[in-house]
Amino acid sequence: MSSSSLSLEEVRRIAALARLRLAPEEEERFAGQLSAILAHVEQLKELDVSGVEPMTHALAAGEVPALREDAVLPGLSPEEALAAAPAREGTAFKVPRIIE
Amino acid sequence: MAVADFQTVIGLEVHAQLLTRTKIFCGCSTAFGGEPNTHVCPVCLGLPGVLPSLNRRVVEMAVRTGLALGCAVRPKSVWARKNYFYPDLPKGYQISQYELPICEGGEVPLTLDGVERTVRLVRIHMEEDAGKNVHDVSADGSSGVDLNRAGVPLLEIVSQPDLRSADEAVEYLKSLRAIVMALGVNDGNMQEGSLRCDANVSVMRRGASEYGTRCEIKNMNSFRFLRQAIEYEVRRQVELVESGGRVEQETRLFDPDRGETRSMRSKEEAHDYRYFPEPDLPPVIVEPALVERLRAELPELPRARAARYQSALGLSAYDAGNLVADAAVAGFFDAALAAYGEGAEAAKKVANWLTGEVARLANETGEAAASWKLTPQKLAAVLRLVDAGTIGGPGAKQVVEEVFRTGAEPEAVVKAKGLAQVSDAGALEAAVDKILAANPAEVEKHRSGKKDLTGFFVGQVMKETKGKANPAVVNALLRKKLGA
Amino acid sequence: MTAPTQDLVRLGLREAGDAVGARRVSSRALVDAALARIEATDAKVGAFLAVTPERARAAADAADARAAAGARRSPIDGVPLALKDIFLTKGVPTTAGSRILEGYLPPYDATVVERLEAAGAVVVGKLNMDEFAMGSSNENSAYKPCHNPWDLSRTPGGSSGGSAAAVAARQVPGALGTDTGGSIREPAAFCGVVGVKPTYGRVSRYGVIAFASSLDQVGPLARSVGDAAVLLRTVAGHDPRDMTSSTRPVDDYLATLEGGAKGLRVGVPREWLEGGGVDPGVAGAVRSALDAYERLGARLVEISLPHSKYGIGAYYLIAPAEASSNLARYDGVRFGLRAKDARGLKEMYSESRERGFGPEPKRRIMLGTYALSAGYYDAYYLRAQKVRTLIRRDFDAAFERCDVIAGPVTPSVAFRLGERTDDPLKMYLADIFTITCNLAALPGLSVPCGLEAGSGLPVGLQLLGRPFDEATLFRAARALERELPALPAPPGV
């Protein structure tokens, strides 16, 4: 196996970070599939990228976008805002108890 | 005591809400209060498909702040996503700046025990605020989420770990607060959370070369709590180290009721924010012309203003410092002085009223200088009434209080409350005679040389006239009648 | 004003618009014909996730009233269209092909939807797609598979599979899709229609459910090059709500459409046809298209794109990384599926997301979360973004020597449903020719260039252009379209 293969433990750590509950068989399957993909991605390491600027934005070079003026625009009413909420209390979104 | 064997090391991260009309990435109002979710739109709700659109004022205010603090302003800075899940964070990430913030370096001046120094800054960056979780919204113990605050623009101002005591940290925050208020970028309101601060606190044995492990303290919404929290945390860490324990790096919450910091359990899970450049926002370009315009528009900063008050107006360092702590108060002072008179004596009088009686009233009512009913012109009018002998000190105090509470015209207050001084010798003579007649023993003592009884007589006359007698006239009458 | 349904549904976008404008056909008749065609064929094709007949008929009547009053809004006023279900439509279900958004009614319209409606186009429904646009076969739709109208046992491609299938099956004359790594061009090629991925920033992404923000772009699918050009021009242009949208003016594509290919320098990447794993039938059709260009007076120029082989690797780091973050908002708090029985907050998150997301989004969220996580960022995400720069530089150099680049869209024609579902990597590798266009933020187009000998399935020719030079792509594609025999109607429907 290549150095990029993913252990089950790592799969679980990532799933927790991504807030995804995975069934045990999914953990197994993802470990294998993600390892295969990462092994393919290893080929990027062949390239010498020293001194290369990352292309973090795809916008055309030299275009400086106009910024929004600081003026209030109409928004949503609380009813519109909450229309799709799975649960609400008054005009707040309701969630299970948050413990700090 | 053990604490003395240790050096405290503190760095502060200050979050300042910017005084924009709208949120950082959408056109929703930043107004406070109201029912939950009344200032929201698809963007700040983090609905599917939305994109951020950057508020121009946010960039201008960030640059303005950076210039005032001597930072290097980056011509091109980059937005980043900070990824974590929390109900008050609608998109599951906060748009912030990470590797390339808008401002770097710079410093904040402070004065402690008469010694001036500067505290270095690491950086200033722009970011969006989160919403608010409301606890126990219903009988089943559920929480609620209000996104009115989500997307309000913040500046995060990060200091180097240059602070060495709780006092210094407090002075740093006071100085920074005065500056952002003077710049008009923040309202300085710590109670409502528009200026917030986290402290990174560690202790090291004196003479050691490496910093100790630091803890991040949150939830200190006043200068007093900041001091308490740091002092508590320092004691806790020193005791821990002294007893052979180790300080764990963690986030701790200050509990103002107990005056303690405690570990935040929910934050125990290791953070991995997976920062990466925000693809929905192009880099922020700050053109040199903008920098020059904003530099030219910088107002006088608190430290320069205080120096000017001392050198040009002869105010004490203490009075000057008090006035400039709130740019609105300093502005009031300037206007009142202009309306009243010139020179050191006039300045001293105006300053005394502002840092004394007026400050007391402002404190009591919690009203910000911008919304006082007492105007600079009205304060000047009160001072002129005193100068003219129309009212005395106690009367003036009553007038100021009434004007502060109602906004009435000082002259009208004097009239309505009958506060005018009696300066007519003829009118006061009867009262003086009455007091002298009622106190023959004291008169005798005075005649035989106990001259300090003059004050006693003056006091009695004032009492007799319900404070309205002009003390100078009373004194003159007494001198005449007692032959002194 | 009446014509048989089968005639009306055959009309292209411009033909239909012209007919409404000349009052030969009513918008209502066009819309009714489209709805009838959908009704008759979609049980087999599966292109639509939602059809909105009442709204469409009302909009058609309004368009007819405008036509009668001489107040048409645009040349496509009154023409029926459909939208990939990734575009937010106010009050109309929008799912992105995912269970997590089942029944979701957005409170606002995407900018492109506003623009279509401002032009008077009539939206008749929302189209099937791979969940969150992740996939190349439409098999990742959480709702139902979509079938290729040329052969119902085959996929229409993806992720805009429903868009391509609906246009090919003559359910609508045009549709909008999105393309992150080939999601318009690949299904267009598989279904024998024209599909365009414009330059990044040409079309607003506001109101388009995000997959990978630095790669996603909205584009048209239609049955002719000119129709696609009209549709793109209708929706393109700066949007202040999308700061990544360009302020450059939108070219008048139709003005140069018929300019021909004479003197055009057509770049042919050495790496793409030789040893690229392209099926012989596909290579043959592409080769004959290149021959056609030579006949038309174009000059073929051999070019090299040495870094394009790293495209898949870079793409499958960047796209999942951005997706892992974009999909964090599906948390069951403000909208969408929530696991109601979850005990605590954390459980609510992870159980809602477990139930709401299908395997492909989960796989990409996992991959992307890993690529961004502490200790891996530099090795994966940052390196991939640097490789992206190298890929863009390849193109910049190539466009010094040519005006467009031509090659295959896919290594094969439409494959069978189920054929590749077990091996995600194999599915990903088929994106080899389309992905670099997104990475380099260039415009790309797929135009039919014949049928594969044997299978009789359509093959697409891919044309790539300089940034914001969609006009040249349309002109080049139109020259080929005129030169080659028109494709027959797909036999599956």
Side-chain angles (χ1 to χ4, degrees):
Chain A
M1 274 309 264
S2 92
S3 61
S4 55
S5 86
L6 234 60
S7 66
L8 276 180
E9 201 179 314
E10 271 178 304
V11 166
R12 284 184 202 120
R13 180 182 66 85
I14 298 160
L17 204 51
R19 297 287 187 275
L20 275 178
R21 193 175 68 173
L22 297 181
E25 61 274 17
E26 268 182 313
E27 291 174 353
E28 296 269 354
R29 190 163 64 241
F30 280 150
Q33 289 176 340
L34 297 182
S35 295
I37 296 162
L38 289 170
H40 179 81
V41 162
E42 285 293 303
Q43 64 156 193
L44 296 191
K45 296 193 175 155
E46 298 164 22
L47 287 167
D48 179 10
V49 293
S50 51
V52 178
E53 278 292 303
M55 185 170 163
T56 43
H57 291 87
L59 199 64
E63 262 202 61
V64 180
L67 304 187
R68 179 173 54 82
E69 296 307 326
D70 186 25
V72 175
L73 299 171
L76 297 175
S77 69
E79 286 313 307
E80 290 172 303
L82 288 145
R88 61 184 282 185
E89 186 69 44
T91 62
F93 297 101
K94 187 174 166 182
V95 293
R97 186 183 183 79
I98 299 167
I99 307 150
E100 270 179 356
Chain B
M1 184 181 162
V3 168
D5 299 337
F6 286 81
Q7 175 65 63
T8 303
V9 176
I10 306 160
L12 291 193
E13 288 173 18
V14 173
H15 286 91
Q17 272 180 14
L18 294 176
L19 287 170
T20 54
R21 284 187 203 94
T22 65
K23 294 183 179 181
I24 184 168
F25 298 125
C26 64
C28 286
S29 165
T30 52
F32 265 125
E35 290 297 297
N37 299 307
T38 44
H39 299 306
V40 293
C41 74
V43 175
C44 56
L45 287 175
L47 297 189
V50 297
L51 296 170
S53 108
L54 176 60
N55 184 339
R56 173 192 307 282
R57 289 282 290 158
V58 172
V59 176
E60 291 178 355
M61 286 182 170
V63 173
R64 190 175 166 83
T65 307
L67 291 173
L69 297 175
C71 305
V73 177
R74 258 183 195 286
K76 180 176 166 181
S77 66
V78 171
W79 296 99
R81 290 188 187 177
K82 179 182 184 180
N83 295 281
Y84 64 96
F85 288 90
Y86 211 53
D88 64 9
L89 188 71
K91 299 185 296 296
Y93 56 85
Q94 179 194 31
I95 304 179
S96 180
Q97 295 193 299
Y98 186 53
E99 283 185 333
L100 302 170
I102 189 155
C103 298
E104 286 168 306
E107 55 190 35
V108 173
L110 66 82
T111 308
L112 186 61
D113 302 331
V115 182
E116 291 191 354
R117 60 163 298 199
T118 57
V119 174
R120 294 170 303 153
L121 294 180
V122 178
R123 59 189 273 159
I124 301 177
H125 71 247
M126 306 175 279
E127 62 185 26
E128 59 180 338
D129 207 345
K132 216 168 78 184
N133 296 324
V134 197
H135 301 291
D136 296 314
V137 291
S138 60
D140 60 1
S142 297
S143 299
V145 183
D146 171 11
L147 297 174
N148 283 341
R149 207 182 62 188
V152 166
L154 299 177
L155 283 190
E156 181 171 327
I157 304 166
V158 183
S159 86
Q160 296 276 8
D162 277 3
L163 299 160
R164 291 292 173 269
S165 68
D167 284 344
E168 214 169 48
V170 167
E171 285 309 311
Y172 166 85
L173 188 56
K174 281 184 175 168
S175 174
L176 185 56
R177 176 176 179 270
I179 292 169
V180 292
M181 289 172 75
L183 293 170
V185 302
N186 179 265
D187 68 10
N189 192 331
M190 296 181 67
Q191 231 118 56
E192 279 181 18
S194 44
L195 189 73
R196 319 196 269 271
C197 121
D198 302 334
N200 286 305
V201 180
S202 66
V203 298
M204 62 199 276
R205 267 185 211 281
R206 292 199 183 276
S209 57
E210 265 179 50
Y211 291 154
T213 305
R214 65 194 158 91
C215 291
E216 187 183 1
I217 319 296
K218 290 184 175 292
N219 195 36
M220 299 159 293
N221 63 356
S222 72
F223 294 118
R224 192 162 62 94
F225 291 157
L226 174 63
R227 177 178 284 113
Q228 275 184 16
I230 292 174
E231 284 172 351
Y232 174 86
E233 182 61 18
V234 168
R235 274 199 309 276
R236 186 187 74 86
Q237 292 187 12
V238 167
E239 278 166 20
L240 203 59
V241 174
E242 288 279 85
S243 61
R246 268 183 48 197
V247 176
E248 295 291 329
Q249 184 165 345
E250 61 177 352
T251 302
R252 299 178 67 85
L253 199 68
F254 177 66
D255 179 344
D257 296 333
R258 294 158 167 258
E260 294 173 2
T261 67
R262 59 181 163 81
S263 187
M264 286 177 78
R265 269 200 201 103
S266 63
K267 301 260 175 180
E268 260 173 25
E269 176 190 324
H271 280 307
D272 186 345
Y273 290 125
R274 291 159 284 138
Y275 281 100
F276 72 102
E278 163 60 287
D280 287 332
L281 285 167
V284 179
I285 305 296
V286 179
E287 306 279 4
L290 176 66
V291 173
E292 286 326 303
R293 174 169 74 76
L294 293 172
R295 197 191 298 281
E297 285 173 9
L298 279 182
E300 186 181 32
L301 294 176
R303 185 178 251 205
R305 198 170 203 170
R308 179 168 62 83
Y309 286 169
Q310 290 172 65
S311 64
L313 301 175
L315 294 188
S316 69
Y318 180 80
D319 281 348
N322 272 335
L323 290 174
V324 303
D326 180 341
V329 172
F332 189 106
F333 169 76
D334 290 347
L337 184 57
Y340 173 57
E342 280 175 7
E345 203 184 325
K348 178 71 187 159
K349 281 191 203 166
V350 177
N352 279 348
W353 277 100
L354 269 177
T355 57
E357 186 62 9
V358 177
R360 184 186 67 79
L361 290 164
N363 230 343
E364 198 181 290
T365 58
E367 248 177 290
S371 53
W372 287 348
K373 295 193 183 86
L374 174 72
T375 63
Q377 287 69 29
K378 284 175 183 167
L379 180 61
V382 175
L383 294 179
R384 277 196 300 270
L385 288 171
V386 174
D387 291 347
T390 310
I391 48 174
K397 237 178 175 173
Q398 287 185 58
V399 176
V400 165
E401 175 154 1
E402 184 64 15
V403 176
F404 191 93
R405 294 191 194 283
T406 65
E409 289 299 329
E411 288 82 355
V413 176
V414 170
K415 208 169 271 174
K417 299 209 162 200
L419 296 170
Q421 279 192 137
V422 180
S423 302
D424 175 18
L428 290 175
E429 196 162 1
V432 170
D433 287 346
K434 189 179 169 189
I435 294 302
L436 293 180
N439 296 285
E442 280 74 12
V443 171
E444 202 42 51
K445 278 184 197 162
H446 188 275
R447 289 225 166 98
S448 59
K450 243 178 134 32
K451 299 300 179 204
D452 53 354
L453 274 169
T454 306
F456 165 75
F457 294 120
V458 174
Q460 291 298 307
V461 175
M462 294 306 284
K463 212 170 179 180
E464 178 67 23
T465 59
K466 297 197 171 70
K468 285 193 245 172
N470 183 330
V473 176
V474 173
N475 264 309
L477 280 169
L478 284 169
R479 264 198 307 277
K480 197 173 91 186
K481 292 192 183 276
L482 295 169
Chain C
M1 297 251 304
T2 49
T5 291
Q6 61 267 35
D7 293 342
L8 290 183
V9 300
R10 250 185 246 133
L11 295 177
L13 195 74
R14 285 168 301 164
E15 291 169 319
D18 291 348
V20 173
R23 309 207 61 213
R24 288 195 303 274
V25 176
S26 68
S27 170
R28 180 60 184 264
L30 287 173
V31 167
D32 282 338
L35 292 170
R37 176 76 177 164
I38 294 165
E39 177 77 34
T41 57
D42 210 47
K44 284 189 280 184
V45 179
F48 279 82
L49 292 179
V51 184
T52 51
E54 291 83 15
R55 293 172 76 106
R57 289 191 174 109
D61 291 345
D64 285 330
R66 288 192 295 270
R72 292 192 84 215
R73 290 175 177 170
S74 80
I76 61 164
D77 195 345
V79 175
L81 292 174
L83 303 169
K84 184 177 185 177
D85 203 22
I86 202 166
F87 298 100
L88 269 77
T89 41
K90 188 172 177 176
V92 175
T94 302
T95 67
S98 180
R99 288 282 170 214
I100 212 160
L101 280 177
E102 189 162 13
Y104 178 59
L105 299 176
Y108 74 102
D109 277 321
T111 295
V112 292
V113 174
E114 283 181 358
R115 290 189 180 177
L116 283 181
E117 288 180 351
V122 179
V123 174
V124 300
K126 305 295 289 291
L127 295 161
N128 206 351
M129 59 182 285
D130 284 302
E131 185 174 358
F132 286 104
M134 296 170 176
S136 316
S137 66
N138 216 104
E139 289 164 291
N140 297 331
S141 167
Y143 296 96
K144 59 183 181 185
C146 183
H147 302 264
N148 193 315
W150 289 81
D151 176 348
L152 296 172
S153 72
R154 291 175 191 265
T155 86
S159 65
S160 311
S163 303
V167 171
R170 275 124 180 101
Q171 294 173 328
V172 281
L176 288 185
T178 58
D179 188 317
T180 305
S183 280
I184 289 174
R185 291 159 290 155
E186 188 237 23
F190 280 6
C191 293
V193 300
V194 177
V196 185
K197 194 295 274 190
T199 310
Y200 186 84
R202 182 66 297 173
V203 184
S204 169
R205 294 184 294 117
Y206 188 80
V208 183
I209 292 177
F211 162 16
S213 308
S214 75
L215 301 162
D216 294 344
Q217 192 58 200
V218 175
L221 296 97
R223 290 194 294 272
S224 72
V225 176
D227 283 357
V230 167
L231 198 44
L232 177 58
R233 195 168 144 82
T234 305
V235 298
H238 179 67
D239 176 8
R241 288 175 296 189
D242 176 2
M243 291 195 62
T244 66
S245 73
S246 174
T247 52
R248 288 176 192 234
V250 180
D251 290 333
D252 183 356
Y253 307 130
L254 287 188
T256 52
L257 186 68
E258 302 293 345
K262 198 168 168 60
L264 194 73
R265 296 173 299 166
V266 177
V268 182
R270 192 181 305 141
E271 295 83 1
W272 284 12
L273 274 180
E274 281 119 51
V278 181
D279 286 357
V282 171
V286 169
R287 179 53 66 190
S288 61
L290 297 176
D291 293 343
Y293 273 122
E294 285 199 298
R295 285 201 302 280
L296 291 166
R299 192 153 58 82
L300 300 188
V301 184
E302 189 184 90
I303 56 155
S304 177
L305 300 171
H307 294 99
S308 62
K309 68 169 171 169
Y310 299 102
I312 301 259
Y315 180 88
Y316 279 96
L317 290 172
I318 294 165
E322 293 181 3
S324 72
S325 175
N326 285 334
L327 268 49
R329 72 189 58 194
Y330 304 96
D331 58 6
V333 174
R334 288 144 295 127
F335 55 83
L337 185 145
R338 173 189 290 195
K340 291 241 160 71
D341 45 341
R343 276 176 302 120
L345 183 66
K346 222 172 192 177
E347 290 79 7
M348 183 199 83
Y349 281 133
S350 53
E351 289 172 28
S352 300
R353 291 162 63 80
E354 186 226 354
R355 290 182 211 172
F357 289 132
E360 190 61 35
K362 281 184 193 165
R363 187 152 43 233
R364 299 207 197 186
I365 289 170
M366 292 290 290
L367 185 56
T369 302
Y370 180 72
L372 290 174
S373 65
Y376 298 101
Y377 177 83
D378 287 2
Y380 288 123
Y381 187 78
L382 185 63
R383 174 169 282 264
Q385 294 286 30
K386 290 178 175 180
V387 172
R388 203 175 166 182
T389 300
L390 297 176
I391 289 170
R392 172 62 183 253
R393 284 184 194 162
D394 283 357
F395 281 106
D396 288 343
F399 282 121
E400 299 276 309
R401 302 180 52 231
C402 63
D403 305 308
V404 296
I405 291 170
V409 179
T410 54
S412 74
V413 293
F415 49 91
R416 289 186 192 284
L417 287 159
E419 193 180 310
R420 296 183 186 172
T421 38
D422 291 339
D423 188 348
L425 180 59
K426 192 173 173 196
M427 191 82 100
Y428 298 171
L429 292 174
D431 298 340
I432 178 87
F433 300 123
T434 47
I435 257 169
T436 48
C437 164
N438 300 79
L439 289 170
L442 303 174
L445 174 154
S446 172
V447 59
C449 66
L451 301 178
E452 186 189 46
S455 73
L457 292 168
V459 176
L461 178 77
Q462 178 168 231
L463 294 171
L464 304 179
R466 298 191 182 96
F468 298 98
D469 194 14
E470 284 82 4
T472 300
L473 288 187
F474 285 125
R475 174 163 66 90
R478 173 60 188 148
L480 189 71
E481 180 181 59
R482 223 168 28 199
E483 176 70 10
L484 299 179
L487 296 188
V493 285

